[in-house]
């Protein structure tokens, strides 16, 4: 599993092009994310940890890799259904990012390997009406994210962390990694992404968490 900077650069170009198209279509709402000061890496109210805490609903589903199945459906031209082998057969990227959990811990420099979301969007081709995504996990967890935010160049579906397959505790076989938002948006044990027109709240968003979750704006609850 090696870094593929050229591949990633290609994706970045594609993403920029796609976002320009969306903007022309009036699909891209202005990005009102909080500004990150250039000299500060730790968002307000966070503390840095070296360990990697485990947080979930108390159920860690045991999904064997050969039983894993992943679906993309909803408002897409080309719905996708992947087995584990299909997933590994896609172009692989390695991306480094920081974790910011709403409970107050942050962890720097996590190296994730998996399938870039840009590749996924290339394949499934969201319809014009698709503005939001609902992510479903094998433990019953869900979380919502705006499509243009899922399409960000640092977002991937990861099977590995620091070069090793993700443990069950941390969401293996495959989890989402959406680094610019609090970590509750990064669904572990991902099984499905549904593209939808109107926003629908997920598990924590239904239970008092903020709908967006920008760590730089401290969008924790409410
Ligand atoms: N499927 C699933 N994904 C989930 C959760 C969950 O309960 N179920 N918890 C979220 C929350 S609140 C956090 S902080 C992170 C924790 O990921 P970690 O246990 O790998 O640190 O996973 C997120 N993704
Ligand atoms: Mo969390």
């Amino acid at each position: 599993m090696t870094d593929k900077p050229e591949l990633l650069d290609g994706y970045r170009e594609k993403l920029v092009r796609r976002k320009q198209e969306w903007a022309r279509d009036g699909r891209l709402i202005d990005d009102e994310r909080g500004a990150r000061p250039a000299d500060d890496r730790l968002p307000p109210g966070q503390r840095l940890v070296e360990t990697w805490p485990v947080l979930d609903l108390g159920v860690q589903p045991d999904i064997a890799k050969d039983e894993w199945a992943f679906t993309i459906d909803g408002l897409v031209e080309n719905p996708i259904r992947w087995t584990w082998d299909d997933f590994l057969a896609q172009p692989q990227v390695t991306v480094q990012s920081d974790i910011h959990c709403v409970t107050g811990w942050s962890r720097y420099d996590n190296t994730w390997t998996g399938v870039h979301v840009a590749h996924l969007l290339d394949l499934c081709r969201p319809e014009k009406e698709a503005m939001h995504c609902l992510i479903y996990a094998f433990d019953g967890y869900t979380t919502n994210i705006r499509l243009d935010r899922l399409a960000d160049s640092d977002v991937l579906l990861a099977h590995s962390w620091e070069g090793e397959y993700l443990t069950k505790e941390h969401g293996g076989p495959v989890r989402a990694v959406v680094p610019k938002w609090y970590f509750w948006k990064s669904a572990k044990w991902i099984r499905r992404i549904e593209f939808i027109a109107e926003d629908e709240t997920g598990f924590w968003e239904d239970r008092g968490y903020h709908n967006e979750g920008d760590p730089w704006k401290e969008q924790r609850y409410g």
Side-chain angles (χ1 to χ4, degrees), residues 55 100-103 105 141 182-185 204 209:
L55 286 96
H100 305 299
C101 174
V102 72
T103 59
W105 57 271
Y141 186 79
Y182 282 125
F183 209 34
W184 86 74
K185 298 283 184 189
W204 283 123
Y209 281 29

Side-chain angles (χ1 to χ4, degrees), residues 76-95:
V76 294
E77 289 171 17
N78 183 37
I80 286 172
R81 188 173 166 82
W82 280 340
T83 63
W84 172 251
D85 288 340
D86 297 331
F87 185 71
L88 288 191
Q90 309 304 316
Q92 305 284 307
V93 293
T94 295
V95 177

Side-chain angles (χ1 to χ4, degrees), residues 107-125:
R107 192 181 187 288
Y108 290 165
D109 294 326
N110 299 274
T111 304
W112 308 99
T113 305
V115 174
H116 201 268
V117 122
H119 172 65
L120 213 133
L121 294 173
D122 273 353
L123 292 180
C124 74
R125 298 191 304 275

Side-chain angles (χ1 to χ4, degrees), residues 44-64:
Q46 295 294 106
R47 65 183 185 284
L48 199 58
V49 299
E50 302 282 327
T51 54
W52 186 8
V54 172
L55 286 96
D56 47 54
L57 307 175
V59 182
Q60 295 178 344
D62 215 337
I63 317 292

Side-chain angles (χ1 to χ4, degrees), residues 138-153:
F138 283 103
D139 61 342
Y141 186 79
T142 54
T143 188
N144 56 318
I145 184 122
R146 234 170 56 192
L147 171 56
D148 63 303
R149 292 171 175 176
L150 188 78
D152 218 334
S153 61

Side-chain angles (χ1 to χ4, degrees), residues 6-59:
E6 336 76 55
L7 187 59
L8 208 52
D9 283 349
Y11 282 145
R12 278 210 186 92
E13 278 168 35
K14 265 191 200 160
L15 282 174
V16 168
R17 224 179 309 126
R18 181 177 285 125
K19 286 194 176 189
Q20 279 172 340
E21 283 164 21
W22 289 352
R24 264 201 311 275
D25 293 350
R27 296 170 74 191
L28 186 59
I29 310 144
D30 267 351
D31 205 329
E32 62 286 344
R33 241 186 347 242
R36 170 173 158 176
D39 58 339
D40 190 3
R41 194 169 170 186
L42 194 64
Q46 295 294 106
R47 65 183 185 284
L48 199 58
V49 299
E50 302 282 327
T51 54
W52 186 8
V54 172
L55 286 96
D56 47 54
L57 307 175
V59 182

